[in-house]
């Protein structure tokens, strides 16, 4: 059964930025798009498990800070090597000024 987890406030993330969110033993990356929408992916690069929150966000792309692999944070798709494996993505919603992520 799905569970919605309170991850952060909407103002905790600037436009075109990413923050780290840890829940249990898992790390997530939460993004705020230029269109003011919120997205969530796994927080670690699929190439060498580096935290994506330290990467560069450009439009809907997150670039890993270690080897410059790129992902589309809206879909999780790996776009540039050395990243070859897609990121898991998680549904988000905003309620009462808070960003919630859905965990299955």
């Amino acid at each position: 059964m799905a569970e919605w987890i309170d991850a952060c406030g909407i103002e905790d993330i600037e436009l075109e930025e990413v923050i780290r969110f840890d829940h249990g033993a898992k790390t997530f990356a939460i993004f705020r798009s230029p269109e003011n929408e919120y997205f969530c992916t796994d927080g670690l690069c699929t190439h060498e498990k580096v935290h994506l929150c330290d990467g560069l966000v450009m439009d809907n792309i997150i670039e890993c800070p270690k080897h410059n692999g790129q992902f589309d944070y809206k879909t999780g798709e790996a776009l540039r090597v050395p990243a070859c494996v897609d990121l898991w993505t998680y549904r988000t919603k905003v309620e009462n000024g808070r960003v919630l992520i859905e965990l299955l």
Side-chain angles (χ1 to χ4, degrees), residues 10-47:
I10 59 172
E11 298 304 322
D12 292 339
I13 312 172
E14 298 292 326
L15 286 174
E16 286 192 275
E17 288 294 331
V18 58
I19 65 166
R20 177 178 170 175
F21 172 68
D22 296 319
H23 181 73
K26 190 135 175 87
T27 297
F28 301 91
I30 303 174
F31 302 86
R32 186 174 176 185
S33 74
E35 299 81 28
N36 203 32
E37 297 176 302
Y38 296 87
F39 296 87
C40 181
T41 69
D42 283 335
L44 301 174
C45 178
T46 58
H47 174 238

Side-chain angles (χ1 to χ4, degrees), residues 27-101:
T27 297
F28 301 91
I30 303 174
F31 302 86
R32 186 174 176 185
S33 74
E35 299 81 28
N36 203 32
E37 297 176 302
Y38 296 87
F39 296 87
C40 181
T41 69
D42 283 335
L44 301 174
C45 178
T46 58
H47 174 238
E48 285 200 10
K49 307 300 182 212
V50 173
H51 288 279
L52 292 174
C53 64
D54 296 325
L56 177 64
V57 178
M58 304 163 288
D59 296 319
N60 63 320
I61 306 297
I62 177 69
E63 184 175 88
C64 178
K66 187 166 186 176
H67 293 121
N68 303 104
Q70 291 184 345
F71 301 90
D72 181 326
Y73 64 75
K74 293 182 178 182
T75 66
E77 179 183 3
L79 300 174
R80 185 167 77 189
V81 294
C84 302
V85 177
D86 296 345
L87 293 169
W88 281 97
T89 60
Y90 304 87
R91 288 181 34 190
T92 64
K93 66 180 178 180
V94 175
E95 287 184 355
N96 301 317
R98 305 292 299 171
V99 179
L100 307 175
I101 62 172

